[in-house]
Amino acid sequence: MTPLVPAPPRPWALASVAVVALLGVVLAAPLLGGAGAAVRFAFSHVCHQMPERSLWVGGGPVALCHRCLGVLAGLAGGLVAAPLVPRLRALGRVRAGRWLALAALPMAVDWLLGATGVWANTPASRLATGALFGVTAGLFLAEALLARSASANRTEEPACPPRPSLSPSPSRS
């Protein structure tokens, strides 16, 4: 009798679990003591982590600022929700770069208006604009990973014979 071997996890599932776990670690950093300091240090290479621009949990700032937290939370949401989005395959046929640039535009405008003093951005605007970009990136990443899984699971089928033509073929004289 052959022992049952579980199928390897699909890349989409692995990515979804990894990003959700990463989000959990970021949010729990203030509660982790020395390990939380290590998490903050690891994320200091990608985020300014200004305490006044970060969510606070348990008396301390999380490992990312509002905007970066929004991007990571959106990425997790986009990855997890992707199988529920109808016509996701159609998204993969368009240029992802254009959609990502469009999704980054509100984030850039929010930052620029705040930096120039025209608009005082808020934690909500930073989280929301970051999340919009993150969801968009998560959907495109999920589509690519789901397509990879689908192509890896396809089996080679024999080619179908050509269909006979219904129109009469021109006769040669």
Side-chain angles (χ1 to χ4, degrees):
M1 181 186 260
T2 307
L4 293 176
V5 178
R10 296 181 178 211
W12 164 81
L14 288 174
S16 298
V17 168
V19 172
V20 169
L22 193 60
L23 179 61
V25 168
V26 164
L27 291 171
L31 309 173
L32 299 176
V39 170
R40 285 190 55 77
F41 175 75
F43 282 97
S44 70
H45 301 289
V46 295
C47 180
H48 60 70
Q49 299 176 330
M50 294 168 55
E52 66 274 11
R53 289 184 171 252
S54 298
L55 181 69
W56 283 56
V57 173
V62 299
L64 292 173
C65 71
H66 296 123
R67 196 174 325 269
C68 293
L69 182 62
V71 170
L72 183 61
L75 184 67
L79 275 167
V80 170
L84 305 175
V85 176
R87 301 180 54 91
L88 182 61
R89 303 305 260 172
L91 274 178
R93 288 191 284 273
V94 299
R95 294 187 179 256
R98 289 182 184 171
W99 283 104
L100 289 171
L102 226 104
L105 190 60
M107 195 167 48
V109 168
D110 185 54
W111 174 85
L112 184 64
L113 293 177
T116 59
V118 174
W119 152 272
N121 57 31
T122 64
S125 71
R126 293 188 292 266
L127 274 166
T129 57
L132 174 66
F133 178 77
V135 165
T136 305
L139 288 172
F140 279 109
L141 177 59
E143 194 283 326
L145 293 172
L146 289 167
R148 180 178 173 200
S149 293
S151 67
N153 290 337
R154 277 190 214 125
T155 58
E156 291 294 323
E157 294 182 22
C160 295
R163 293 175 129 175
S165 175
L166 298 178
S167 60
S169 59
S171 60
R172 295 186 185 172
S173 309

